[in-house]
Amino acid sequence: MKNYRKLTFVFVLFLFGLFAWGKDFIPAAPDYNDSTMWYRLDEDPDGTGADVFYVVSTWEIDWQTSDGKICHYADVYNPEHRERMGIEIRRAGEYMRPGNRFYSPYYRHITIDAWVSQNEKLIKSRARLAMKDVCDAFDCFLKTRDQSRPLIIAGFSQGGMAVVELLKHMNDQTYSKVAAAYVLGYKVTSKDLKTCKHIKPAQGEDDVGVTICYNTTKGVQYVIPVISASAIGINPVNWRTDDTPATLNGNITVVLSPEYHVLVLSGYDGAEYKPYRNFINVGDIHSCEPWLYKDCLKKNIAVRTAKWRENK
């Protein structure tokens, strides 16, 4: 009997080890009390600006650990992964942080491989861990911030997904501090609108507590279902929700399609953004979202921040 129990125990350990060996690798969770998990800058000496919480997009591909396990997530404890995320964070901060306090967490974002699959179920399944990281970071941020200040939430691509999830995650008291939420290069679905009372589509330049969402294409036929098939949209150049054309940088015409809720550009081909794995920048101009309209966004953040303060 003793030998039988011993053999059974050994066999269970073997199966457990075999199962564990075959699993994908999940990096350690961030500790958001650790300053290295954040990019922070305070450029609001007068205390008249906003707290800007920015969520970075996708920077990693699937990678292998030293023992051959596949990982589908960025590793926040890997300096190279943080540095790559930092490239975008610093660039976004160049126009979002002036006059504000800027916060951006590093998180275990899902790799581009899930997005390239264009499998909505796979993307959402893997993204649960990434979105939990962002929500944990946001909760940590809320504990230390001055609650009397307006809040701007912004994110690009996967970061835009995170903005939508944050609006679902926050309570009414936190939402009351939101001057605006910017979903750059991602979608807001009809289901999101029905299930989240904190998502209120922007209707103009200075309404507050609203969600700004846009995606850029060369034509409506280039909508990507897993990214840009949105139920709402607004033109960030003229802040219209109809098809009134706007002129950007003197030579780019920007028109919103009220039917497809995406921007259609002429006079700009986005050639600096090369197609990636036949997925993005192929008819859409996904990679331009935080950069092409940066002057419009910088001004609008200030306008909505001032309006929120005026309303209070």
Side-chain angles (χ1 to χ4, degrees):
M1 180 63 70
K2 289 183 178 179
N3 288 337
Y4 174 78
R5 288 177 179 174
K6 184 177 180 180
L7 286 172
T8 301
F9 179 71
V10 170
F11 183 66
V12 168
L13 285 179
F14 170 76
L15 289 177
F16 178 80
L18 187 64
F19 175 74
W21 178 84
K23 288 187 69 176
D24 295 332
F25 176 73
I26 305 295
D31 175 4
Y32 289 112
N33 293 306
D34 180 351
S35 62
T36 62
M37 295 295 106
W38 292 90
Y39 180 89
R40 296 170 174 161
L41 279 175
D42 185 349
E43 294 192 4
D44 183 15
D46 300 327
T48 57
D51 288 346
V52 178
F53 188 92
Y54 181 79
V55 187
V56 70
S57 66
T58 307
W59 280 84
E60 298 304 322
I61 62 174
D62 278 359
W63 54 280
Q64 283 190 333
T65 62
S66 58
D67 58 354
K69 291 182 180 178
I70 299 293
C71 185
H72 305 298
Y73 301 92
D75 183 353
V76 297
Y77 293 99
N78 183 322
E80 293 181 356
H81 289 199
R82 287 203 309 276
E83 176 54 31
R84 282 192 281 270
M85 286 185 263
I87 293 170
E88 177 189 323
I89 292 170
R90 290 189 295 271
R91 191 177 174 194
E94 288 176 2
Y95 69 88
M96 291 188 181
R97 72 179 188 241
N100 300 308
R101 296 173 186 168
F102 184 82
Y103 305 80
S104 187
Y106 302 107
Y107 71 108
R108 292 175 292 179
H109 63 261
I110 64 174
T111 61
I112 190 66
D113 299 78
W115 296 100
V116 171
S117 76
Q118 301 194 53
N119 182 322
E120 193 87 53
K121 185 176 180 180
L122 175 66
I123 292 167
K124 288 183 177 179
S125 174
R126 289 186 182 169
R128 280 194 286 268
L129 181 145
M131 297 302 103
K132 183 180 184 303
D133 279 1
V134 175
C135 290
D136 287 348
F138 188 71
D139 290 344
C140 185
F141 154 76
L142 289 178
K143 291 177 183 178
T144 59
R145 90 174 197 102
D146 181 347
Q147 298 295 323
S148 68
R149 292 171 57 83
L151 179 60
I152 297 288
I153 307 170
F156 167 44
S157 195
Q158 186 170 170
M161 172 193 272
V163 172
V164 174
E165 293 308 310
L166 285 173
L167 288 166
K168 297 174 184 177
H169 172 74
M170 67 179 60
N171 59 29
D172 291 348
Q173 182 179 4
T174 299
Y175 169 70
S176 71
K177 310 298 182 181
V178 174
Y182 294 82
V183 179
L184 312 180
Y186 190 67
K187 62 187 177 181
V188 174
T189 67
S190 297
K191 183 178 180 181
D192 294 331
L193 291 172
K194 291 177 182 177
T195 58
C196 181
K197 63 182 178 179
H198 298 153
I199 300 178
K200 298 180 179 179
Q203 299 298 313
E205 182 181 13
D206 64 354
D207 40 356
V208 298
V210 295
T211 297
I212 294 93
C213 177
Y214 65 78
N215 288 273
T216 305
T217 71
K218 298 178 185 179
V220 295
Q221 68 270 33
Y222 297 113
V223 168
I224 302 174
V226 298
I227 295 178
S228 53
S230 186
I232 66 171
I234 193 168
N235 190 325
V237 184
N238 60 10
W239 299 105
R240 299 286 295 257
T241 57
D242 58 19
D243 59 1
T244 302
T247 302
L248 177 67
N249 299 335
N251 62 338
I252 303 172
T253 301
V254 185
V255 179
L256 177 74
S257 165
E259 180 180 0
Y260 292 91
H261 310 290
V262 295
L263 305 174
V264 180
L265 269 56
S266 56
Y268 176 75
D269 61 9
E272 64 266 45
Y273 303 111
K274 303 302 180 184
Y276 183 79
R277 292 168 69 171
N278 201 35
F279 172 53
I280 57 173
N281 304 327
V282 184
D284 66 299
I285 318 177
H286 180 71
S287 297
C288 82
E289 308 295 17
W291 323 120
L292 187 62
Y293 313 99
K294 64 180 182 179
D295 293 337
C296 302
L297 295 172
K298 178 180 179 179
K299 178 182 177 183
N300 193 247
I301 287 171
V303 166
R304 294 186 197 271
T305 295
K307 192 69 174 182
W308 185 93
R309 288 185 176 276
E310 179 185 322
N311 291 346
K312 296 302 177 182

